[in-house]
Amino acid sequence: MAMDENIKAPVLDDIDYSASAKKGAPKGVSAPVLDDMSNDYIKNNRKGAPTGVSAPVLDDMSSSYTPKEKKSAPKYLSDEEVIAKFSPEQKQQFFILPDDKKKMVLNYTRKQLGVPLEPEPEIKAPILDEPDEIQNFEKPVHELDYDEPLTAPVLDEAPETPEYVPKFGGEDVEKIKQEAKKQAVNALEPNQKDQKESLRMMKELREQRERADAKAGFKLTIIIAVIGCLSAVLFSLFAGGKFMNLAYKPETGKLTDIVAQYSLYISIAVGICSFLLITGVKALKSLATTVFLLFTIILIFPGIIMLTQKDGNMGINAVLYGLSVIGSGYTFFSLTSNNKINLFFSKKY
């Protein structure tokens, strides 16, 4: 692009400008005077540059520029300074308040004013303690006399240990041992005798108690023998159907007929076994126990069926049947579980 040779640079503040031309710089071009606003600003030859724009005067220092001052931190206000900001009415109300309320009002007012509630403590340099004076102690000097001979300290002489002299000789020791053995044996013999005596007495007491139980067992055996016989008689009256008009209905079962037919023989067998108990023979006790077990089973079944097949007199039949069952059952359980009856049949006493 060809430069216009008629363009000259303006003079800056009328200062003589002298500079050596650089190599390749355009000739006949002078710098524009920036503060000379009388002439129109030379248009910029660039494409699209604004027209009618003048450059500002850079060296016009008529207007003074002062930067914004830095905000200082709020200072603490004393109580008097805070009270001075109150209105007369506020002061009257303030002085009426108690001391603690006054302090609260002052602190609240300081918060509203944006000042600290307490004064900042003064920062002082710490005072170091003065160092203690160092005392110099002189070490004592001990002068030794090397001419005198060195001697070890004299220790006390150890006491002589007395020789052990036994009080008793060998024969005396043996005698003492023999006497100690005799005393120990004599001390044990009464204890053994007492134990044997106590065992013997306990055995005698047990035998006496068992002898008394055996006698009581004999009496109980007589009682259950009588009860067994009564149970057999009552069963014969109930099951026979020929006594006291205790007959059966016309139509009965075959089992009922058999029991009713042999009821007398069953009653006789039960009665005999009951009386044999009085003898105290253990084998007869076992036989009687078996007989009463079977007799009780017969009374329960078919005994209950026989009761329902009776023709009239149900009250008498029920009493006879009930007493027979109770007597037979009591006799059987007494023979099997009563300890006194078992002692009677053991024949120890």
Side-chain angles (χ1 to χ4, degrees):
M1 187 177 190
M3 300 295 291
D4 192 355
E5 293 181 358
N6 296 322
I7 296 174
K8 295 180 181 180
V11 181
L12 298 175
D13 288 340
D14 294 336
I15 299 172
D16 295 334
Y17 178 78
S18 60
S20 61
K22 290 186 178 180
K23 187 177 180 181
K27 296 179 181 180
V29 179
S30 60
V33 180
L34 298 179
D35 57 352
D36 187 5
M37 303 302 294
S38 58
N39 296 328
D40 294 334
Y41 183 74
I42 300 171
K43 297 179 180 180
N44 194 351
N45 293 328
R46 290 187 180 181
K47 188 178 180 180
T51 58
V53 179
S54 60
V57 181
L58 298 179
D59 58 349
D60 187 4
M61 303 300 291
S62 61
S63 63
S64 61
Y65 170 76
T66 57
K68 294 182 180 180
E69 295 182 356
K70 203 174 190 180
K71 291 184 179 180
S72 61
K75 296 182 180 180
Y76 172 76
L77 297 178
S78 63
D79 295 345
E80 291 77 8
E81 292 175 350
V82 176
I83 294 170
K85 295 181 180 294
F86 292 166
S87 63
E89 295 178 357
Q90 290 177 345
K91 290 180 181 180
Q92 290 179 0
Q93 295 178 358
F94 175 76
F95 289 116
I96 297 172
L97 298 173
D99 293 339
D100 55 346
K101 298 294 183 181
K102 288 179 181 179
K103 189 173 182 181
M104 292 174 64
V105 171
L106 291 173
N107 290 334
Y108 183 72
T109 306
R110 288 190 181 96
K111 287 183 179 180
Q112 289 182 339
L113 296 174
V115 297
L117 301 180
E118 295 180 357
E120 295 182 359
E122 296 181 1
I123 300 174
K124 296 181 180 180
I127 300 173
L128 300 177
D129 296 335
E130 294 181 359
D132 298 334
E133 294 182 359
I134 300 173
Q135 298 180 0
N136 297 325
F137 296 96
E138 295 181 358
K139 294 182 180 180
V141 179
H142 299 282
E143 295 182 358
L144 299 177
D145 190 2
Y146 294 100
D147 296 335
E148 296 181 0
L150 298 175
T151 57
V154 179
L155 301 176
D156 295 336
E157 294 180 359
E160 295 181 359
T161 55
E163 295 181 0
Y164 172 74
V165 178
K167 294 181 179 180
F168 304 98
E171 296 178 357
D172 297 334
V173 172
E174 292 296 330
K175 289 180 180 180
I176 292 170
K177 288 182 179 180
Q178 293 295 332
E179 290 178 358
K181 288 180 181 179
K182 289 179 181 180
Q183 291 177 359
V185 171
N186 294 332
L188 290 174
E189 284 180 355
N191 294 332
Q192 292 177 353
K193 290 180 180 179
D194 293 340
Q195 290 178 359
K196 290 179 180 180
E197 186 66 20
S198 62
L199 290 173
R200 186 186 64 79
M201 292 177 65
M202 289 175 63
K203 187 176 181 180
E204 288 181 357
L205 290 173
R206 186 174 65 253
E207 289 177 356
Q208 290 178 3
R209 185 172 62 252
E210 289 179 353
R211 191 176 292 109
D213 291 342
K215 290 181 180 179
F218 174 68
K219 295 178 182 179
L220 290 174
T221 302
I222 295 174
I223 292 171
I224 63 173
V226 173
I227 292 173
C229 290
L230 290 176
S231 178
V233 172
L234 293 174
F235 173 74
S236 178
L237 294 175
F238 165 74
K242 298 178 182 180
F243 304 97
M244 300 173 64
N245 296 323
L246 301 176
Y248 292 95
K249 294 178 181 180
E251 296 179 358
T252 56
K254 187 178 291 186
L255 185 60
T256 302
D257 294 339
I258 294 172
V259 174
Q261 184 179 356
Y262 292 99
S263 60
L264 180 61
Y265 301 105
I266 295 172
S267 299
I268 293 171
V270 172
I272 292 171
C273 291
S274 298
F275 279 110
L276 290 176
L277 291 173
I278 301 174
T279 59
V281 179
K282 196 170 184 179
L284 295 177
K285 173 181 174 287
S286 300
L287 176 64
T289 302
T290 305
V291 170
F292 274 100
L293 173 62
L294 297 174
F295 184 53
T296 304
I297 293 172
I298 293 171
L299 283 170
I300 295 172
F301 182 81
I304 191 68
I305 298 174
M306 295 171 67
L307 178 63
T308 59
Q309 292 177 352
K310 286 288 184 175
D311 187 11
N313 297 323
M314 292 301 294
I316 298 174
N317 284 306
V319 171
L320 293 175
Y321 173 74
L323 292 175
S324 299
V325 173
I326 293 171
S328 177
Y330 176 77
T331 304
F332 170 73
F333 286 107
S334 298
L335 290 172
T336 55
S337 61
N338 196 301
N339 188 36
K340 294 179 180 180
I341 294 175
N342 293 330
L343 286 173
F344 168 68
F345 283 97
S346 63
K347 291 298 182 181
K348 290 183 179 179
Y349 309 103

